[in-house]
Amino acid sequence: MSKVIHKTLYLILVFFVGLFIVSSLFVRAQYNYGLYGDNPIMGTQQWGIFLPVIILLLLTGIGLYRLCLRLNKYGPKVVVPLVLLCSMAIQIGIIFVFPRVPTDDSQTVVSLAMSMLYDQDYSSFETGGYLHMFPFNFSIVLYLKTLLYLFPDNYLVIKLFNILFSTVTTFMIYLIYKQLNPKSKERDYGVLIFAATYLPSLFLNNLIYNDVIATAFLTSCLYFLLRFVREKSWKAILLAAIFLAIGNYFRSIGAIVLIAAILYILLNMRGIGFKKVLGSIAVLAILFNVPGWTQNAVLQSTGVASEPVGENSAPVYMWLNMGINLERFGFWDNMESYQIYQRQANYNKADSTELFKQEIESKLSEASVSDLIQMYYIKIIWTWTEGTYQMDRYGIGNESASGMGRGRAGGIAGSYSYTNGVTDLFQGDSIYRTAVLWVVYVMNFMMYCFIFVRLVRGIRAKQYDEVSLILVILGFIGFYILWEIKSRYIYPVYPLLIVLSYMGFKDVYEMMFHRKLGWGRPSLRKG
């Protein structure tokens, strides 16, 4: 029965990955703020660019993989720290070359942290305030307030901590890969180098928000979950539960990982034992909401909040309502849903919930079946194949004083604290910016191709070792079919895509070169 469930999960992900691949042959999902404004774009695939970039990246990948194999003669104690240090150096260089300043929610949370620290101003929890509407963002405000208190008041400090979290994620990607491949005869430094140089993770350190931090904690949770299933160690499940709770505190999508973790543990009940299964699930569930409960208790006891935080916050139905939009297929609806909560319901959660339910029912009844199918199809394809996690806006940025986005009135969001020769080259929709976005987009497409290979090979061999990662990915796919979308929202999944795609790339490489052409592999020596 367990094998049937495993195979079914693999087949479901094969379907979605296949859908991403086939769709990308005909349409291209884009997000380019300088060219289109804050809008999701679906256009016809440009094969004159698409195919050459595929060939270029494939040849580059093969060459780099060959170089990585030569590192097998060096031990992990040398290579791993060196790669991580080099990655950190690159990331530090990026935040100096592209000194993006906070905008939108990023600017809001920084401003709130400074107001709380220097003016003791907690009025944002009052009716109509930002944290009254979105109390889940108090975690990042509290984090920023702490950094501003302990270190010099400078964006660079915050971004340097982003780099530390991003580096932790890179290391965890390598450790997860090794956990899933304990019998590998190679050092597998390739996956480490891939993760260490993955462009979205390098650039999104410029985003002062919760994505990078939450990703580090949730990825760490998955690593210790794998160790628990393999080693049956209470220490491992306790660490997994702690990292999950903190990750969810920073970004409230931890429930997806929690459900995936519980299902993964249940699927391995025979090897773990019934008592440990119950105990581990209890540990995960009990610790999951501890940060939120603690925050609520402290805020009420100190008089900062007069009522339980979240009692009249924006309801989940607001984001579900945003998620149903025929014109923008679930992307940000330009304040329409906000106005229902703020103006029509006067910041009342219960009243706005009823209004949103009516709005959702109206949208579903007025749209035809074909309209809904088309919307959900485009929604899924855009979210998962855009591929850059919107690094154009949130990572690279652009000088707002330089011009206006053609997609909407106003300057381009994401200006710089200073400009230099490189920022000038990346101005607007320049050829350099376009080239980087194409490379990342095609890289994402190729990752899906290699993931597809890995999944099919696993099904044929009846080996389902990566089911823990697949459960999380399927959870994200299902959730963002219903929720408001941004391709940035699936950023916490990129570590899992890297692991699976590297496995698939390695499988393809072995089939194409090592087995058929007889290319030898550098010998593995102890280091």
Side-chain angles (χ1 to χ4, degrees):
M1 183 62 181
S2 176
K3 290 290 184 182
V4 173
I5 296 174
H6 282 73
K7 183 177 180 180
T8 301
L9 293 170
Y10 268 63
L11 286 171
I12 294 172
L13 188 55
V14 163
F15 167 77
F16 280 109
V17 172
L19 185 66
F20 302 157
I21 294 169
V22 173
S23 298
S24 296
L25 300 179
F26 301 97
V27 296
R28 183 194 170 194
Q30 295 184 66
Y31 184 90
N32 187 325
Y33 195 94
L35 192 58
Y36 302 111
D38 191 22
N39 295 294
I41 301 298
M42 288 293 284
T44 304
Q45 187 58 267
Q46 298 173 258
W47 276 93
I49 302 175
F50 190 48
L51 185 58
V53 178
I54 289 175
I55 295 171
L56 175 64
L57 290 182
L58 187 59
L59 294 176
T60 302
I62 292 171
L64 290 176
Y65 183 71
R66 292 289 298 171
L67 290 175
C68 291
L69 290 178
R70 296 185 182 280
L71 294 176
N72 280 339
K73 58 185 178 182
Y74 302 106
K77 291 182 179 179
V78 174
V79 176
V80 174
L82 183 62
V83 171
L84 295 179
L85 286 173
C86 288
S87 179
M88 291 179 71
I90 295 171
Q91 294 172 74
I92 291 171
I94 287 174
I95 65 173
F96 276 102
V97 172
F98 297 95
R100 186 192 186 279
V101 298
T103 53
D104 306 321
D105 285 318
S106 179
Q107 178 58 54
T108 301
V109 294
V110 172
S111 298
L112 289 175
M114 296 179 73
S115 296
M116 290 179 187
L117 178 62
Y118 299 120
D119 303 324
Q120 304 301 308
D121 181 4
Y122 290 85
S123 60
S124 184
F125 283 102
E126 297 174 3
T127 302
Y130 182 81
L131 293 178
H132 172 87
M133 295 186 286
F134 314 117
F136 51 81
N137 270 342
F138 182 59
S139 56
I140 188 65
V141 172
L142 183 62
Y143 164 77
L144 293 174
K145 177 188 172 186
T146 303
L147 289 188
L148 293 170
Y149 174 77
L150 295 175
F151 300 98
D153 183 352
N154 194 298
Y155 293 141
L156 282 176
V157 171
I158 303 172
K159 292 180 181 181
L160 287 172
F161 272 86
N162 270 356
I163 289 172
L164 288 176
F165 282 111
S166 182
T167 304
V168 168
T169 301
T170 297
F171 185 50
M172 286 298 160
I173 290 171
Y174 179 66
L175 293 182
I176 287 174
Y177 185 90
K178 297 301 288 184
Q179 277 291 313
L180 294 173
N181 296 271
K183 297 179 181 179
S184 176
K185 297 179 181 179
E186 299 168 356
R187 307 285 195 187
D188 295 307
Y189 296 135
V191 69
L192 177 68
I193 294 173
F194 182 22
T197 57
Y198 189 59
L199 286 176
S201 67
L202 299 181
F203 276 94
L204 282 175
N205 290 311
N206 260 333
L207 176 61
I208 298 176
Y209 207 47
N210 52 23
D211 301 77
V212 173
I213 305 169
T215 300
F217 281 109
L218 294 176
T219 308
S220 300
C221 161
L222 287 173
Y223 166 66
F224 284 103
L225 177 66
L226 289 169
R227 284 196 48 180
F228 167 70
V229 171
R230 186 176 297 276
E231 301 170 7
K232 288 72 175 179
S233 164
W234 285 112
K235 179 181 177 181
I237 195 63
L238 180 60
L239 288 171
I242 291 172
F243 286 131
L244 175 58
I246 298 173
N248 181 69
Y249 180 58
F250 276 103
R251 188 157 171 227
S252 305
I253 40 91
I256 299 173
V257 181
L258 174 64
I259 294 170
I262 292 173
L263 291 174
Y264 181 57
I265 290 171
L266 290 174
L267 288 172
N268 288 275
M269 181 184 295
R270 182 177 297 180
I272 298 172
F274 183 71
K275 289 183 178 180
K276 276 199 172 182
V277 164
L278 289 182
S280 61
I281 292 175
V283 170
L284 289 169
I286 291 171
L287 292 183
F288 185 72
N289 284 315
V290 167
W293 292 336
T294 304
Q295 171 186 290
N296 214 357
V298 171
L299 289 174
Q300 285 191 268
S301 65
T302 56
V304 170
S306 58
E307 61 185 21
V309 174
E311 184 168 316
N312 274 302
S313 62
V316 295
Y317 287 95
M318 184 173 80
W319 287 277
L320 293 174
N321 184 55
M322 287 186 203
I324 304 172
N325 188 314
L326 297 181
E327 293 179 0
R328 294 167 65 80
F329 39 89
F331 197 80
W332 165 249
D333 62 6
N334 293 320
M335 296 294 291
E336 290 180 16
S337 293
Y338 276 27
Q339 288 175 4
I340 293 174
Y341 167 67
Q342 294 172 330
R343 297 183 182 179
Q344 297 182 39
N346 196 27
Y347 300 98
N348 183 287
K349 188 172 189 174
D351 291 347
S352 65
T353 295
E354 292 305 313
L355 290 172
F356 284 125
K357 286 181 179 179
Q358 293 172 19
E359 186 74 10
I360 291 170
E361 184 178 353
S362 175
K363 287 180 177 179
L364 292 176
S365 61
E366 291 175 2
S368 67
V369 174
S370 61
D371 286 339
L372 291 173
I373 291 173
Q374 183 180 28
M375 183 201 73
Y376 283 115
Y377 166 73
I378 296 175
K379 183 178 184 180
I380 294 170
I381 298 305
W382 188 88
T383 303
W384 288 89
T385 67
E386 191 276 329
T388 73
Y389 305 95
Q390 297 170 270
M391 59 178 269
D392 162 70
R393 181 178 185 184
Y394 299 110
I396 299 174
N398 205 319
E399 183 51 55
S400 60
S402 65
M404 297 172 65
R406 297 181 210 168
R408 72 180 196 185
I412 298 173
S415 60
Y416 304 124
S417 56
Y418 57 85
T419 59
N420 53 56
V422 179
T423 59
D424 290 342
L425 290 176
F426 276 75
Q427 197 74 273
D429 56 330
S430 73
I431 188 173
Y432 298 96
R433 180 186 297 266
T434 301
V436 170
L437 295 180
W438 261 108
V439 166
V440 179
Y441 167 78
V442 175
M443 185 185 300
N444 185 67
F445 168 78
M446 293 179 66
M447 286 170 68
Y448 286 134
C449 292
F450 293 126
I451 290 171
F452 187 86
V453 171
R454 182 64 186 188
L455 294 174
V456 170
R457 188 173 184 183
I459 293 170
R460 293 180 65 182
K462 298 182 180 180
Q463 295 179 347
Y464 309 108
D465 299 329
E466 302 88 29
V467 72
S468 57
L469 311 189
I470 289 168
L471 282 166
V472 175
I473 295 171
L474 289 176
F476 269 79
I477 291 174
F479 182 76
Y480 284 108
I481 287 176
L482 301 175
W483 205 252
E484 178 222 0
I485 60 163
K486 282 186 174 71
S487 61
R488 178 176 63 84
Y489 288 170
I490 64 169
Y491 183 76
V493 173
Y494 94 84
L496 315 187
L497 300 182
I498 284 180
V499 171
L500 290 173
S501 63
Y502 185 80
M503 290 177 177
F505 176 84
K506 191 175 176 181
D507 290 342
V508 172
Y509 181 89
E510 292 289 322
M511 288 187 288
M512 289 178 61
F513 297 103
H514 183 65
R515 294 180 185 174
K516 291 189 176 182
L517 300 182
W519 289 13
R521 258 186 279 174
S523 61
L524 175 64
R525 297 186 224 162
K526 293 183 179 179

